[in-house]
Amino acid sequence: QIKSSVDIVQKIYSRNYFPYMNANWKHFPDNIAHTYTPGCFRCHDDQHVSEDGRVISKACDVCHAITAQGPSGSMEYAGTQQSLDFKHPEDIGDAWKEASCSDCHSAPPI
């Protein structure tokens, strides 16, 4: 049971702590998601580049598989094991591709 517990704790740790990035969830407790705070876009911004040229992409499909979107009654659905391209619910052209969500959205009042 101890061996099993150690394995489980190590798996949990590996999903919450990123020593190679010197980051963990304790450092950024209020930056979950990306609509009302920079959140994920603090790093997923197409600006963080490794020494060998790899870029941390801000493309939606890096983290999300959009399987349905749109207003009720006219939803668009993805096929099996496919993802839709994100469509902003308001017509703002391509502005959403350049800005982060939190640039326009603010946290709802408490």
Side-chain angles (χ1 to χ4, degrees):
Q1 287 178 333
I2 291 174
K3 171 74 172 116
S4 176
S5 297
V6 169
D7 291 342
I8 290 169
V9 170
Q10 286 176 334
K11 286 179 184 175
I12 292 169
Y13 181 88
S14 73
R15 286 182 291 216
N16 289 283
Y17 290 84
F18 310 96
Y20 61 93
M21 296 297 290
N22 195 27
N24 66 52
W25 296 118
K26 290 180 182 179
H27 288 102
F28 310 107
D30 298 317
N31 283 298
I32 297 171
H34 50 70
T35 303
Y36 302 119
T37 65
C40 307
F41 290 124
R42 288 171 300 134
C43 296
H44 287 266
D45 62 359
D46 289 332
Q47 303 299 311
H48 285 76
V49 183
S50 68
E51 290 179 8
D52 62 355
R54 291 180 298 151
V55 176
I56 301 177
S57 174
K58 69 184 275 182
C60 299
D61 63 357
V62 168
C63 301
H64 301 282
I66 302 170
T67 58
Q69 67 181 341
S72 187
S74 62
M75 290 284 274
E76 180 182 2
Y77 297 94
T80 304
Q81 296 184 356
Q82 293 180 339
S83 180
L84 299 170
D85 289 332
F86 175 75
K87 292 181 185 161
H88 194 279
E90 300 293 328
D91 185 7
I92 60 170
D94 286 340
W96 67 270
K97 292 179 181 179
E98 301 302 321
S100 293
C101 302
S102 62
D103 291 345
C104 299
H105 297 267
S106 59
I110 297 175

